């Protein structure tokens, strides 16, 4: 690969918004680690019995980062993050990084609840979370024109359903797609449709989401932007505590795997 192509890729990667970039990167790292034999996905899959009986709480998070083996489907899901997640974060959620992060968190929590139902359980919810992004994007940009593999041109509003139909045709599992659509519609209903009908937003971004973004180049919380330096330092200390907890979970995962 030439130096020019490497430079172009680095510039493109650095231009991506923080949440979409972080999530896409973690998904790529997870699949790469799997193919390198660093860990079997079974130790990151969502298994409620292991969560509650053996306190393997990391499974509630790690299952969202595995999109499957390297394949065409994996590439499509990663491109969905790079295109539709980025368009959402740079468009509708521009200068609202915390709101975008809250949308991801709410979607993940919704999927965890749905997956607790035995008939709806699936070991990895990454595809569902990506499909949720796609659904929300289709509702925010309903009239955008999509060229589906050069065969059919349709409005973005119908795009999630077209992808669902393709999964049926190619024999892929449709449950993850359906779960993503349900989670996406619930979020869109609570944040857009319900406020339009009643004038009340019952799904505002919680205040605890803002400190987790203090290391971003701009502080997305108006309440933090004009605070003294000591407040911002405390904010960053809170983030460091979250990182320490994440590292402890990774160490626990490695310990279990080594046994």
């Amino acid at each position: 690969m030439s130096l020019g192509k490497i430079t172009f890729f680095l510039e493109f990667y650095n231009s991506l918004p923080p949440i979409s970039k972080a999530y896409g990167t973690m998904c790529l790292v997870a699949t790469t680690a799997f193919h390198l034999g660093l860990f079997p996905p079974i130790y990151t899959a969502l298994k409620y019995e292991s969560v509650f009986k053996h306190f393997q709480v990391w499974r509630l998070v790690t299952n969202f980062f595995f999109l499957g083996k390297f394949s065409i489907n994996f590439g499509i899901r990663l491109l969905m993050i790079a295109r539709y997640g980025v368009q959402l974060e740079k468009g509708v959620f521009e200068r609202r990084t915390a709101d975008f992060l809250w949308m991801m968190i709410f979607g993940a929590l919704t999927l965890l609840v749905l997956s607790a139902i035995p008939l709806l359980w699936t070991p990895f919810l990454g595809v569902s979370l990506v499909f949720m992004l796609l659904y929300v994007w289709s509702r925010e940009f309903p009239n955008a024109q999509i060229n589906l593999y050069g065969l059919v041109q349709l409005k973005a509003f119908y795009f999630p359903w077209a992808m669902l139909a393709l999964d049926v045709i190619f024999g892929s599992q449709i449950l993850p797609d359906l779960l993503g659509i349900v989670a996406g519609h619930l979020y869109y209903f609570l944040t857009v449709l319900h406020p339009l009908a009643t004038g009340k937003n019952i799904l505002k971004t919680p205040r605890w989401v803002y400190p987790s973004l203090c290391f971003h180049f701009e502080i997305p919380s108006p309440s933090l932007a004009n605070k003294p330096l000591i407040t911002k330092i405390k904010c960053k200390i809170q983030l460091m505590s979250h990182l320490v907890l994440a590292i402890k979970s990774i160490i626990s995962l490695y310990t279990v795997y080594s046994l």
Side-chain angles (χ1 to χ4, degrees):
M1 184 179 293
S2 65
L3 181 60
K5 291 182 178 180
I6 295 176
T7 302
F8 173 79
F9 173 78
L10 291 177
E11 290 178 351
F12 169 76
Y13 182 78
N14 290 330
S15 69
L16 296 176
I19 307 302
S20 298
K21 177 168 62 177
Y23 182 58
T25 300
M26 286 186 284
C27 290
L28 180 61
V29 168
T31 298
T32 303
F34 163 70
H35 279 277
L36 292 176
L38 298 181
F39 74 93
I42 189 174
Y43 289 103
T44 61
L46 178 62
K47 296 176 63 178
Y48 282 107
E49 181 179 0
S50 297
V51 171
F52 294 111
K53 288 187 177 181
H54 305 290
F55 303 103
Q56 297 176 2
V57 293
W58 64 80
R59 294 178 181 273
L60 298 174
V61 178
T62 55
N63 77 90
F64 288 101
F65 301 135
F66 187 66
L67 298 179
K69 301 177 181 180
F70 282 132
S71 63
I72 294 178
N73 283 338
F74 171 82
I76 291 174
R77 306 308 181 194
L78 204 61
L79 286 175
M80 285 181 178
I81 299 173
R83 181 172 182 181
Y84 306 116
V86 167
Q87 285 187 12
L88 274 176
E89 197 170 351
K90 282 188 172 182
V92 179
F93 291 93
E94 186 178 10
R95 300 185 65 82
R96 294 170 53 207
T97 305
D99 293 337
F100 186 82
L101 176 60
W102 172 238
M103 179 189 71
M104 298 283 288
I105 294 174
F106 175 80
L109 293 175
T110 302
L111 292 170
L112 288 173
V113 171
L114 291 173
S115 195
I117 302 172
L119 290 177
L120 301 180
W121 176 81
T122 181
F124 299 101
L125 293 169
V127 172
S128 300
L129 190 60
V130 173
F131 223 82
M132 175 201 168
L133 286 176
L134 176 64
Y135 181 86
V136 174
W137 175 85
S138 72
R139 297 304 301 263
E140 294 288 358
F141 302 95
N143 295 317
Q145 294 295 317
I146 297 296
N147 193 328
L148 193 61
Y149 300 123
L151 300 175
V152 180
Q153 195 166 23
L154 69 162
K155 290 186 176 181
F157 181 84
Y158 304 105
F159 188 39
W161 306 103
M163 294 300 296
L164 179 65
L166 286 176
D167 282 342
V168 172
I169 293 173
F170 292 119
S172 300
Q173 292 185 350
I174 63 171
L175 179 59
D177 298 355
L178 290 173
L179 292 178
I181 289 175
V182 172
H185 185 73
L186 180 61
Y187 174 83
Y188 188 78
F189 174 80
L190 293 176
T191 58
V192 178
L193 299 181
H194 185 267
L196 286 177
T198 64
K200 298 179 180 179
N201 184 0
I202 61 177
L203 196 65
K204 293 181 180 179
T205 303
R207 294 182 63 85
W208 56 263
V209 175
Y210 293 101
S212 63
L213 296 171
C214 286
F215 280 145
H216 188 234
F217 62 91
E218 59 183 27
I219 298 178
S221 171
S223 62
L224 290 176
N226 298 319
K227 292 292 183 180
L229 179 62
I230 186 65
T231 303
K232 298 179 182 180
I233 293 176
K234 289 181 179 179
C235 176
K236 294 184 178 182
I237 292 175
Q238 287 181 336
L239 177 57
M240 290 301 297
S241 66
H242 294 321
L243 292 176
V244 170
L245 289 175
I247 292 172
K248 287 183 177 179
S249 297
I250 294 173
I251 293 174
S252 299
L253 175 61
Y254 177 78
T255 303
V256 171
Y257 175 57
S258 62
L259 293 176

